[in-house]
Amino acid sequence: MNILIDGDILCYTTAAAVEKPTDWGNDLWTLHADFKEAKQRIDVDIVEFVETLGGTSFTVCLSDSENFRKQVYPEYKSNRAGVRKPVVFQALRDYMIDNWDCQLWHRLEADDVMGILATSKPNSIIVSADKDLRTIPTRVYNPSKPDLGVIEVTRAEADRNHLIQTLTGDRTDGYPGCPGIGPARAEKIVDGGWEAVVECYVKAGLNETVALSQARLARILRKGDYVKKTGLVKLWSPQAKKVAA
């Protein structure tokens, strides 16, 4: 069993968890973090994920500083600009890279790396609390909701979830989707396939080009969507053909 761990979320939540504010009096506050504790937490979590899920191999996946989605939609994740990261975030990320089996691919997010690896090796489980991973046909384990166990996402479910995400957008990632469309409406609309998604955008005063850009933002890459040697990404289209590796 190949375990694919979302290193972005693991690093961020761990770094945030060890931050401690201190009130020194006279209106003086400082923020500090125990880096030793953060490293120990990372080590324990990775080992526990692998053991709990019966892994025989594992990979920690991280995002590159460059992101191909910025070329599709320049405002992608612009809502995060200037937001402070936890004190030891970068140091903890470096520690993970130096001490664990990490994969960081040019222009891709951790989600994409996990998506490609999971669909290249069917005997995989993705470990992540990110709902976007439900757009990948694989097995997913949410460590924030362990009672759910490992959830298997079929190809049909993954494709459907992708269209739903295309309509609803993602505020966390800073892309809007179709105005006025929430999850409940999107669930019904996608029964009509891509044509129904486009029609929804047209009714909102937009067009298929906008719908396609949102679909490409929502698409987590799968096997055949990326050439690692060149960093070439095959952007999603309704009749997308796979890139020759």
Side-chain angles (χ1 to χ4, degrees):
M1 187 70 66
N2 185 39
I3 309 301
L4 304 171
I5 300 171
D6 188 334
D8 286 357
I9 290 180
L10 180 60
C11 184
Y12 189 94
T13 55
T14 303
V18 299
E19 285 192 342
K20 301 288 189 298
T22 300
D23 180 3
W24 297 94
N26 295 320
D27 295 333
L28 177 63
W29 287 78
T30 59
L31 188 66
H32 72 275
D34 186 336
F35 189 46
K36 181 177 181 179
E37 180 186 351
K39 292 187 291 184
Q40 289 174 338
R41 285 184 179 226
I42 286 286
D43 294 346
V44 168
D45 282 345
I46 291 175
V47 171
E48 285 190 350
F49 292 153
V50 176
E51 291 183 348
T52 298
L53 298 172
T56 53
S57 62
F58 74 92
T59 302
V60 179
C61 302
L62 297 166
S63 295
D64 188 25
S65 57
E66 294 185 41
N67 191 327
F68 78 90
R69 290 180 177 83
K70 290 279 190 179
Q71 294 179 317
V72 177
Y73 186 70
E75 291 78 20
Y76 184 73
K77 289 190 174 179
S78 62
N79 56 324
R80 301 186 187 186
V83 177
R84 182 187 69 83
K85 286 186 171 64
V87 173
V88 298
F89 175 83
Q90 187 58 53
L92 190 58
R93 177 183 163 93
D94 293 341
Y95 170 79
M96 292 169 65
I97 292 172
D98 290 341
N99 291 274
W100 293 99
D101 180 11
C102 295
Q103 290 287 327
L104 189 159
W105 295 358
H106 182 49
R107 300 176 68 224
L108 300 192
E109 298 182 62
D111 291 359
D112 299 308
V113 179
M114 289 187 288
I116 293 168
L117 292 177
T119 51
S120 300
K121 299 180 180 179
N123 194 29
S124 298
I125 297 176
I126 288 176
V127 178
S128 177
D130 191 340
K131 63 178 176 59
D132 294 351
L133 277 305
R134 296 288 188 91
T135 65
I136 301 173
T138 186
R139 284 171 286 184
V140 181
Y141 175 76
N142 184 345
S144 299
K145 299 178 180 179
D147 292 345
L148 296 178
V150 177
I151 297 173
E152 184 162 1
V153 182
T154 67
R155 174 67 178 269
E157 290 171 336
D159 291 346
R160 178 182 173 85
N161 290 336
H162 169 239
L163 291 184
I164 291 172
Q165 192 78 16
T166 297
L167 284 169
T168 60
D170 192 325
R171 289 186 179 180
T172 301
D173 288 339
Y175 65 96
C178 188
I181 303 299
R185 285 189 64 191
E187 286 273 0
K188 298 177 180 178
I189 293 168
V190 298
D191 287 338
W194 175 246
E195 293 76 11
V197 171
V198 172
E199 182 181 352
C200 189
Y201 273 88
V202 171
K203 287 181 178 178
L206 303 170
N207 55 38
E208 185 170 4
T209 299
V210 175
L212 186 58
S213 70
Q214 297 298 295
R216 288 172 170 173
L217 295 172
R219 169 79 171 191
I220 295 178
L221 303 186
R222 304 178 189 178
K223 178 182 178 181
D225 290 336
Y226 179 73
V227 181
K228 191 175 180 182
K229 289 182 179 179
T230 62
L232 174 66
V233 173
K234 177 66 174 181
L235 296 175
W236 183 87
S237 65
Q239 303 297 326
K241 295 181 180 179
K242 300 299 181 183
V243 173

